[in-house]
Amino acid sequence: MTDAVRAALRAQRIELPSWAFGNSGTRFKVFAQAGVPRTPYEKIEDAAQVHRYTGVAPTVALHIPWDKVDDYTHLAAFAKEHGVGLGTINANVFQDNDYMLGSVTNPDPDVRRKATDHLLECVDIAAAVGVRDVKLWFSDGTNYPGQDSIRARQDRLAEALQQTYDALGEDQRLLLEYKLFEPAFYTTDVPDWGTAYVHCLRLGPKAQVVIDTGHHARVPTSSSSWRCCYARRSWARSTSTPASTPTTT
């Protein structure tokens, strides 16, 4: 290993997800283990220990409401005392029973309002602790033909993203995540990085695409992503600011 490689490895920064310190398992069962952190504070203590061992993991991403606390500034101060900082704030709109037919794309306006309010809550949390990035992932989709209007769902998604984007602070970013191979049974509302990219292009320079490469990518991006980019090209014309290229996580 050359000195340049060693220097590059020492200089890298890896943001640890708080949920990595919880019980793990498969999609079929979560296996309880002794010593697993019970609170966000205990997760931060474990993450801080990893950083002490490696020196390259100085921040911890939070997932709301998994890491919900009464006082986020106190949590940030606790993290600083342990030698780490808070990182990306991740929203969760995929576990509530109300989201059975979708969150921000749900045909029920009350459910959409609930989901969008949570996204705005995450923006507020990020602002309270001085964090730049708010990351959104949507499991929304349909399970059979005729369940809902695919076009209308894209419009609802765009509306929620716009409200969230408008709430960002000057130095904040919205990260729209696409997970490889995370489909609904019939259609998925963010089915590929192209869809995520077009939405970000419409929003502006503070919106970026994140691709979760941890879901076993097997083939290069298909032409469907490019078709998606052009399918709603009128959105892209509505902004004169080029969007950022996709990043990976």
Side-chain angles (χ1 to χ4, degrees):
M1 184 182 296
T2 66
D3 291 341
V5 171
R6 290 191 181 93
L9 290 174
R10 292 192 187 100
Q12 71 176 329
R13 293 294 178 262
I14 299 171
E15 185 166 286
L16 295 174
S18 67
W19 54 99
F21 297 96
N23 284 311
S24 61
T26 69
R27 290 181 180 270
F28 307 105
K29 179 175 173 58
V30 174
F31 298 94
Q33 304 171 67
V36 170
R38 297 160 295 183
T39 68
Y41 290 90
E42 292 182 354
K43 294 176 186 177
I44 286 174
E45 288 177 331
D46 282 8
Q49 189 65 40
V50 172
H51 183 49
R52 280 192 287 271
Y53 284 139
T54 65
V56 296
T59 56
V60 186
L62 300 184
H63 213 300
I64 310 299
W66 298 343
D67 296 317
K68 193 176 184 68
V69 295
D70 293 332
D71 187 342
Y72 289 98
T73 57
H74 182 268
L75 185 66
F78 180 84
K80 185 176 181 180
E81 290 173 2
H82 285 73
V84 293
L86 299 184
T88 304
I89 304 298
N90 292 262
N92 182 323
V93 286
F94 53 83
Q95 285 191 309
D96 195 296
N97 286 339
D98 285 344
Y99 301 145
M100 181 177 69
L101 299 179
S103 59
V104 297
T105 66
N106 196 296
D108 186 333
D110 291 336
V111 175
R112 295 201 301 273
R113 183 70 264 162
K114 174 180 176 178
T116 304
D117 285 346
H118 173 64
L119 305 186
L120 297 175
E121 175 193 15
C122 289
V123 173
D124 290 341
I125 292 170
V129 297
V131 167
R132 179 186 62 179
D133 294 332
V134 177
K135 184 151 68 73
L136 314 179
W137 174 70
F138 302 100
S139 63
D140 296 32
T142 62
N143 293 321
Y144 53 84
Q147 178 180 328
D148 199 0
S149 166
I150 298 173
R151 179 179 292 274
R153 293 178 75 89
Q154 288 298 318
D155 291 338
R156 297 169 198 152
L157 174 59
E159 181 181 2
L161 290 175
Q162 188 67 62
Q163 290 183 46
T164 308
Y165 187 86
D166 290 344
L168 294 174
E170 183 177 349
D171 297 323
Q172 287 184 303
R173 297 191 307 181
L174 181 155
L175 305 180
L176 181 54
E177 180 178 355
Y178 158 60
K179 290 184 185 294
L180 300 173
F181 305 108
E182 281 280 2
F185 285 118
Y186 182 60
T187 63
T188 307
D189 293 327
V190 184
D192 49 35
W193 69 261
T195 301
Y197 180 72
V198 170
H199 278 287
C200 289
L201 192 66
R202 180 177 184 267
L203 291 169
K206 293 189 291 186
Q208 292 192 356
V209 176
V210 168
I211 300 176
D212 185 345
T213 58
H215 287 250
H216 315 296
R218 297 188 293 269
V219 295
T221 302
S222 69
S223 60
S224 63
S225 294
W226 294 105
R227 288 197 297 271
C228 177
C229 285
Y230 291 103
R232 298 185 66 81
R233 58 188 179 276
S234 60
W235 286 8
R237 294 197 191 104
S238 68
T239 176
S240 59
T241 306
S244 302
T245 54
T247 57
T248 59
T249 183

